Amino acid sequence: MPIAKLARHPLLKAWPQDVRDALPLALWSSDAIAAACGGTASAEFEAAGVEMDSRDVRPGDLFVALKGESMDGHRFLEAAFAKGAVAAIVDRPVDYPHVLVADTTAALHALAHAARERSEAVRIAVTGSVGKTGVKEAIFACLDRASRGAAHRSVRSYNNHVGVPLSLARLPARARFGVFEMGMNHAGEIAPLTGHVRPHIALITTIAPAHIENLGSLEAIADEKAQIFTGLMPGGTAIIPADSDWADRMVRHAEVTGAKVITFGRKAGADVRLLDAIPVQGGGSLITADLGDIRLCYTIAEPGEHWIVNSLGVIAAVRAAGGDLASAGLALAELGGLKGRGQRHVLKVAGGTALLIDESYNANPASMRATLKALAQTPAQRRVAVLGSMKELGDFSEGFHRQLAEPLGDAGVTHAILVGEEMRALAAELGKGLGNSLGKPISFAHCQGADEAIAALAEFGLGHGDAVLVKGSNSVGLGKLVARLTQGA
């Protein structure tokens, strides 16, 4: 058919129009950046991405030369352009295409706010003591599948005072959904982050003693996490874990903002309530949930009871955002573990294969218990746990580490490798000869660092059918052990 005649075909003429079709394909143009930041562009250009770390720059990126107390991004301009940056935001004239501003940090914030204002995307903010990265990724997967690639999210754990504005600045004008993770170490850190994003939906995964050294109590942690509701858009939705001891406290925080409150969990009366969870082959679960007006049945690929409840929060967020629940169910069934947060590897060992569960990125008392419980449900000849210290627990540290003896025993762990000074308390507890679920004492080794742990695990020797869990605070460096194990896996 001739092209002229094809263009007049009734089906093409009736093709649905979308206002986003008129928006630019490039993430940012030089004019748009200059207008947003109040700066001056040295040349015309278009950028496909925004980056602040020269090591992560990809061709087509805009490099933001941020300045900190001990670091100046302007020192890395040459490296950024060598990797393919098309331009930079700078506070001094340079010999590269750039936008000149007075303050590069303020410019990044302005660019983030401009991205927010130009987009009609539904914005979802996620925080919590445990599980926020996994829940963020799950919500993104559900919405990205439903929108056929029109969803955006924070990458990795870009959840702080720099990462959140950077993630927001990367929000494409054509996006239909944006999912942003928010973290904190001290009081007063969540409110500025939610103020940047101004979410339509804000979700708290759970409250646990992460960063309790700085906050002082679980009540204070709940109060700080609930500050995510202060940034909600008018008419926004607050999603709260009904099973939390501090659920009512968080609900009160949300109600002060005028938000619509949705609760999720096992508790009777939860708006998204678990009715049934049946284990499925491969470690996941078949979930039946009551959403009030409908019941939903779906499968989650991720193992562990914590993911059963997490999935209810994901479903609540997807529904509040106007996403498709059928697509969400398919996405949850295919969701894989993240590097350092549940990713599973099959290792070649003497006589066959062993399973490695990589939880090396983060750890606190609640997540330790959850992953040990998941380990208990993992079929294995022997279960081995490599546990690194849990940081930022302050005066509570010794008690929380010592209390891991019980979940270790319940998980049927045969051998434990304990890494870090804080783990000395758990080593002392295991030294009393406490038995595991099979009634046998748990053998253990206490190491100071990742290198010693690698040697200790090699000395123990993994065999066919073993399952080994690696979990600890990121600063302990157990990612090095995972990397060593997975080389050639």
Side-chain angles (χ1 to χ4, degrees):
M1 181 182 295
I3 293 178
K5 187 174 181 180
L6 180 63
R8 296 193 299 271
H9 194 283
L11 291 179
L12 286 178
K13 292 177 69 175
W15 189 266
Q17 299 296 307
D18 190 321
V19 293
R20 281 182 289 271
D21 291 340
L23 296 171
L25 290 172
L27 181 63
W28 289 106
S29 69
S30 52
D31 289 343
I33 297 167
C37 304
T40 303
S42 68
E44 290 189 4
F45 60 83
E46 290 185 334
V50 183
E51 187 52 74
M52 63 177 182
D53 189 328
S54 61
R55 296 168 296 183
D56 294 331
V57 167
R58 295 181 296 181
D61 278 352
L62 169 73
F63 177 66
V64 185
L66 297 177
K67 291 173 63 177
E69 293 181 2
S70 59
M71 189 65 67
D72 185 350
H74 294 80
R75 292 168 47 197
F76 303 97
L77 284 168
E78 184 176 350
F81 279 92
K83 294 200 71 173
V86 294
I89 293 180
V90 295
D91 64 10
R92 67 204 71 166
V94 296
D95 294 330
Y96 301 102
H98 64 270
V99 175
L100 182 63
V101 299
D103 184 316
T104 54
T105 298
L108 176 61
H109 292 176
L111 196 64
H113 297 170
R116 181 191 70 203
E117 295 304 315
R118 73 179 181 178
S119 172
E120 295 184 358
V122 177
R123 299 183 297 278
I124 303 165
V126 180
T127 193
S129 301
V130 184
K132 54 185 174 290
T133 300
V135 167
K136 177 257 299 181
E137 290 292 328
I139 295 172
F140 166 76
C142 292
L143 295 174
D144 198 54
R145 187 180 189 117
S147 64
R148 299 182 182 181
H152 168 78
R153 94 290 206 183
S154 310
V155 298
R156 290 182 279 186
S157 288
Y158 279 16
N159 62 19
N160 62 9
H161 65 288
V162 177
V164 170
L166 180 68
S167 298
L168 188 55
R170 293 170 168 175
L171 177 67
R174 293 178 174 228
R176 291 182 56 196
F177 303 100
V179 192
F180 302 92
E181 179 182 340
M182 297 178 188
M184 60 87 178
N185 294 314
H186 299 82
E189 293 182 341
I190 291 289
L193 303 182
T194 190
H196 285 306
V197 174
R198 297 301 315 278
H200 300 92
I201 300 161
L203 181 153
I204 297 177
T205 59
T206 191
I207 301 299
H211 314 303
I212 197 169
E213 177 183 22
N214 301 323
L215 275 296
S217 69
L218 288 166
E219 291 85 353
I221 293 172
D223 289 341
E224 175 61 20
K225 293 295 186 182
Q227 294 305 300
I228 196 171
F229 303 137
T230 63
L232 277 169
M233 294 290 287
T237 300
I239 301 178
I240 293 170
D243 303 330
S244 172
D245 291 338
W246 295 272
D248 291 342
R249 193 181 192 100
M250 291 183 280
V251 167
R252 289 194 293 271
H253 279 287
E255 289 176 341
V256 167
T257 70
K260 175 185 177 182
V261 175
I262 296 176
T263 58
F264 67 94
R266 300 173 179 270
K267 189 175 181 179
D271 297 304
V272 179
R273 182 168 64 93
L274 179 70
L275 296 178
D276 195 21
I278 302 172
V280 298
Q281 187 174 6
S285 302
L286 176 65
I287 307 297
T288 304
D290 184 356
L291 278 63
D293 56 334
I294 62 170
R295 288 189 175 185
L296 189 67
C297 187
Y298 59 94
T299 299
I300 56 172
E302 289 294 300
E305 290 191 15
H306 57 297
W307 260 108
I308 293 173
V309 176
N310 283 349
S311 75
L312 301 175
V314 172
I315 291 296
V318 170
R319 195 178 200 200
D324 181 72
L325 293 180
S327 294
L330 293 172
L332 288 172
E334 297 174 355
L335 192 67
L338 304 174
K339 180 180 179 181
R341 291 185 170 88
Q343 191 171 35
R344 296 188 167 209
H345 304 270
V346 176
L347 307 177
K348 297 177 182 178
V349 297
T353 61
L355 174 67
L356 168 65
I357 305 171
D358 177 15
E359 289 273 1
S360 60
Y361 188 81
N362 206 354
N364 58 54
S367 66
M368 277 286 197
R369 287 177 175 270
T371 50
L372 284 169
K373 200 166 186 178
L375 178 64
Q377 297 167 352
T378 302
Q381 294 294 323
R382 299 181 300 178
R383 297 186 181 94
V384 180
V386 182
L387 304 183
S389 295
M390 302 178 290
K391 301 295 186 178
E392 299 184 26
L393 295 177
D395 294 339
F396 302 90
S397 181
E398 182 178 344
F400 278 130
H401 283 85
R402 186 175 61 251
Q403 291 164 16
L404 291 177
E406 181 181 353
L408 264 176
D410 292 343
V413 169
T414 301
H415 186 67
I417 296 175
L418 312 177
V419 189
E421 182 60 31
E422 292 88 343
M423 278 291 171
R424 191 175 296 279
L426 178 56
E429 195 70 14
L430 294 181
K432 298 176 182 179
L434 298 178
N436 60 21
S437 59
L438 300 176
K440 298 180 179 180
I442 303 171
S443 63
F444 68 95
H446 182 225
C447 309
Q448 287 302 314
D451 289 333
E452 287 186 35
I454 291 170
L457 188 58
E459 182 178 350
F460 173 75
L462 292 178
H464 175 63
D466 288 350
V468 55
L469 167 68
V470 180
K471 186 166 181 65
S473 291
N474 191 41
S475 60
V476 179
L478 292 183
K480 182 177 181 180
L481 181 146
V482 172
R484 180 71 61 86
L485 290 176
T486 54
Q487 288 174 358

